[in-house]
Amino acid sequence: MTDTSSSSQPMISSPWKRVLVPVDFSAPSEAAFAYALRLAHTVGAEVRVCHIIPTPHMLDAFYERGLAPPDTVKRITQKARKRIKELAATHASTVPFHMHCQEGEAAETI
C-alpha cells in the first residue's frame, strides 16, 4: 500500500474540469481564490479567475488617476494578473489557472 496524501495528484475523481472564481481583490475574494485553488487541486480541475473592471474605472482596486481609458484598462489588467500570480505563489499552488479581465457590471458580466 502506498501513501498518496502528499502526492501532487488529485485526491478524488470528479466531473469538474474548471472552477470559476470572481476576484475583486477584497479580502473575502482573495480567500475565495485560495479556496478555489485547494478545491481545484483536490478534484483535478483548473481555476478560471474573473476580474470585472467596473465603469467608471475609478471603482476598481487598481485604478490610477491620469490614464486615458484604454491605458487604464490595460494597466488594471496588468496589475490584476500580477496580483493573482502573487496570491497563487503565496499558496504554493501548482493548479493551472487562467485570468480573464473584462469591463462591465460584475453581476451581468460574470
Side-chain angles (χ1 to χ4, degrees):
M1 184 184 324
T2 59
D3 178 16
T4 60
S5 61
S6 63
S7 171
S8 63
Q9 297 298 318
M11 302 302 250
I12 61 173
S13 177
S14 171
W16 296 352
K17 302 293 182 216
R18 289 175 291 281
V19 176
L20 173 66
V21 59
V23 176
D24 64 3
F25 299 100
S26 63
S29 75
E30 289 185 4
F33 176 63
Y35 180 80
L37 290 172
R38 289 191 307 273
L39 175 63
H41 174 76
T42 301
V43 300
E46 67 180 27
V47 173
R48 298 287 175 129
V49 181
C50 177
H51 178 67
I52 306 303
I53 302 167
T55 48
H57 299 132
M58 68 186 88
L59 299 176
D60 192 278
F62 292 123
Y63 172 74
E64 291 181 24
R65 285 183 71 152
L67 296 175
D71 292 333
T72 298
V73 172
K74 183 177 179 182
R75 185 72 173 147
I76 289 170
T77 299
Q78 289 171 343
K79 285 184 163 188
R81 289 182 192 283
K82 180 180 177 194
R83 180 66 182 142
I84 284 296
K85 286 178 184 176
E86 290 169 354
L87 289 170
T90 298
H91 297 287
S93 177
T94 58
V95 172
F97 64 89
H98 303 279
M99 177 97 183
H100 178 74
C101 293
Q102 184 173 334
E103 289 181 271
E105 195 278 316
E108 292 175 9
T109 309
I110 293 170

